[in-house]
Amino acid sequence: ELKVEQNPLFLSMQEGKNYTIYCNYSTTSDRLYWYRQDPGKSLESLFVLLSNGAVKQEGRLMASLDTKARLSTLHITAAVHDLSATYFCAVETGRAYIFGTGTRLKVLA
Amino acid sequence: KAGVTQTPRYLIKTRGQQVTLSCSPISGHRSVSWYQQTPGQGLQFLFEYFSETQRNKGNFPGRFSGRQFSNSRSEMNVSTLELGDSALYLCASSLMSGVGAFFGQGTRLTVV
């Protein structure tokens, strides 16, 4: 059974600090996605990672994929309050899309 | 460009009833996928439709079904509702299967 684990589950960080969210998955995958969800809202697509070594950056967020290690990271640089949200990774297996548990990020002023 | 539209936004049903949720994808998008989100189970994939064909399916009982019409609009049906079906149901559309997704605002279903 494909499992997708994110850690940490909760992250409270100071503005201006850097941190990384990890997404481990248990089997080979075709694609990996990162999403953001604000409280009471829907999901917003952040990144799609298609191949080993893929790195994508948007503003203060950078995502990378290591298919050999079955690991993706979402790195936050110089966090700001607006980044407070829940972040999900999701893995496509060819038959289904499996989401991680989510990381609830709170950036403190 | 209009986004993904889900109707209704909120719904209250009684156990044993059935419900139909609707999703209108972004114009030109042919792939529609459905997800269930609950505090206990998180986000779970229900199924994906592409050009009116179900391409992928998650691990849900047969009470959950869906379909896609020729205009790419999709409906999801849940029969014999149970309390545990209370959740936020999200729909997402894509140009092609699996290439990123744009999510709708969701339908919050409460089963009493």
Side-chain angles (χ1 to χ4, degrees), chain A residues 3-99:
Chain A
K3 290 186 179 180
V4 181
E5 295 181 341
Q6 280 182 244
N7 69 83
L9 297 182
F10 300 96
L11 178 55
S12 181
M13 57 191 297
Q14 295 290 326
E15 275 193 331
K17 297 293 187 182
N18 303 333
Y19 209 85
T20 300
I21 299 170
Y22 298 89
C23 174
N24 289 90
Y25 52 98
S26 61
T27 189
T28 56
S29 168
D30 299 328
R31 297 179 180 91
L32 190 136
Y33 305 84
W34 282 98
Y35 296 93
R36 167 183 173 146
Q37 187 176 37
D38 291 292
K41 300 291 180 82
S42 187
L43 274 73
E44 175 190 353
S45 178
L46 295 173
F47 301 108
V48 181
L49 302 170
L50 301 177
S51 60
N52 187 43
V55 177
K56 290 198 173 180
Q57 183 165 4
E58 180 74 33
R60 300 175 187 274
L61 301 177
M62 183 173 71
S64 66
L65 178 62
D66 181 344
T67 57
K68 293 179 182 177
R70 297 178 184 166
L71 170 68
S72 179
T73 60
L74 181 65
H75 186 73
I76 303 157
T77 301
V80 292
H81 180 71
D82 286 351
L83 290 179
S84 296
T86 299
Y87 293 85
F88 292 93
C89 65
V91 170
E92 181 181 346
T93 69
R95 277 194 54 80
Y97 304 93
I98 310 298
F99 281 80

Side-chain angles (χ1 to χ4, degrees), chain B residues 62-101:
Chain B
R63 299 186 298 108
F64 292 81
S65 64
R67 60 178 175 170
Q68 187 179 33
F69 302 95
S70 58
N71 62 358
S72 293
R73 189 177 71 85
S74 177
E75 288 183 346
M76 189 191 92
N77 184 275
V78 188
S79 62
T80 320
L81 284 166
E82 301 176 0
L83 295 178
D85 297 334
S86 295
L88 178 66
Y89 290 88
L90 293 165
C91 159
S93 80
S94 306
L95 270 172
M96 295 169 57
S97 176
V99 184

Side-chain angles (χ1 to χ4, degrees), chain B residues 4 18 26 29 38 41 46 50-51 57 59 63-64 69-70 80 90 92 96-97 100 105 107 111-112:
Chain B
V4 179
Q18 74 166 14
I26 291 171
H29 284 193
T38 60
Q41 298 298 315
L46 281 155
F50 184 84
S51 294
K57 189 176 189 304
N59 189 25
R63 299 186 298 108
F64 292 81
F69 302 95
S70 58
T80 320
L90 293 165
M96 295 169 57
S97 176
Q105 293 303 303
T107 294
V111 182
V112 297

Side-chain angles (χ1 to χ4, degrees), chain B residues 2 12 14 17 20 27 29 31 53-55 62 77 95 104-105 107-108:
Chain B
I12 300 175
T14 305
Q17 287 186 312
T20 299
S27 178
H29 284 193
S31 169
T53 301
Q54 186 180 88
R55 292 189 56 151
N77 184 275
L95 270 172
Q105 293 303 303
T107 294
R108 186 163 296 280

